[in-house]
Amino acid sequence: LVMVGIPGSGKSTIAKQLEARGWVWVSQDELGSRRRCEEVCAEGLRSGRRVVIDRTNTDETQRAHWVRLAREARLAATNAAALVLRVPIDTCKERVMSRLGHKTLPPDRFSLGIVDKFAFEMRLPNHDEGFSQIIEASDASHVFVQHLLSLPASAR
């Protein structure tokens, strides 16, 4: 599952809920680099576990890494999904300003500029990228998110 959304849109909130159910949580905020994220993702896929990619993934080039890893792991094409979190930018900014101890975006004016930058750069995914499903949601209450939360940790 490739998460797509600007900072503060709720990607990590959903990803942590999935991790609590046994998914492999791949977070660049936590792991520090895309390279390390790719390693953790590939290992999770090889072991047959479900993986959630918790990054902004604002364009096709960024998302292509995850689709490639899924193909290399011989993941069925029907299992590659993108979850786009469509949350108003003002809500995202409020969330960024209210979170404490965030590793990459502290609650300050600079971070608000980063949210604007990611919103400007956002290019929504399409099926030509290799996703079998592209779901848009505003939060974890969306029926697709609830479905994901009900799945077993193993993808096999």
Side-chain angles (χ1 to χ4, degrees):
L1 176 67
V2 177
M3 306 286 281
V4 178
I6 64 176
S9 60
K11 298 178 303 297
S12 294
T13 299
I14 293 171
K16 288 175 187 175
Q17 291 174 351
L18 292 169
E19 180 192 35
R21 286 161 176 79
W23 290 51
V24 176
W25 175 33
V26 178
S27 167
Q28 189 161 326
D29 289 343
E30 297 297 319
L31 296 172
S33 70
R34 191 190 75 221
R35 169 61 89 198
R36 183 69 185 123
C37 289
E38 289 176 354
E39 292 168 355
V40 172
C41 174
E43 178 55 37
L45 292 172
R46 278 193 301 273
S47 69
R49 293 181 59 205
R50 296 183 193 279
V51 176
V52 56
I53 307 299
D54 178 10
R55 295 178 80 241
T56 56
N57 293 306
T58 56
D59 61 38
E60 183 175 354
T61 301
Q62 291 182 30
R63 295 184 291 267
H65 299 286
W66 316 116
V67 173
R68 175 184 51 80
L69 289 172
R71 286 184 181 142
E72 288 174 0
R74 302 199 188 292
L75 186 69
T78 57
N79 290 341
L83 177 60
V84 181
L85 291 170
R86 301 280 294 221
V87 178
I89 192 168
D90 290 340
T91 300
C92 294
K93 287 180 176 182
E94 288 172 17
R95 291 175 179 173
V96 166
M97 293 303 283
S98 67
R99 45 190 193 191
L100 301 173
H102 192 275
K103 291 185 177 187
T104 59
L105 284 180
D108 60 27
R109 294 179 98 143
F110 177 77
S111 294
L112 295 178
I114 297 295
V115 174
D116 286 330
K117 175 183 176 291
F118 278 104
F120 178 77
E121 293 174 351
M122 179 62 67
R123 301 295 175 262
L124 296 177
N126 64 69
H127 292 283
D128 292 339
E129 294 178 37
F131 296 111
S132 62
Q133 297 180 67
I134 299 170
I135 309 300
E136 293 189 13
S138 59
D139 59 41
S141 68
H142 188 279
V143 67
F144 181 75
V145 177
Q146 291 303 304
H147 168 70
L148 292 174
L149 292 170
S150 73
L151 294 173
S154 174
R156 295 184 180 153

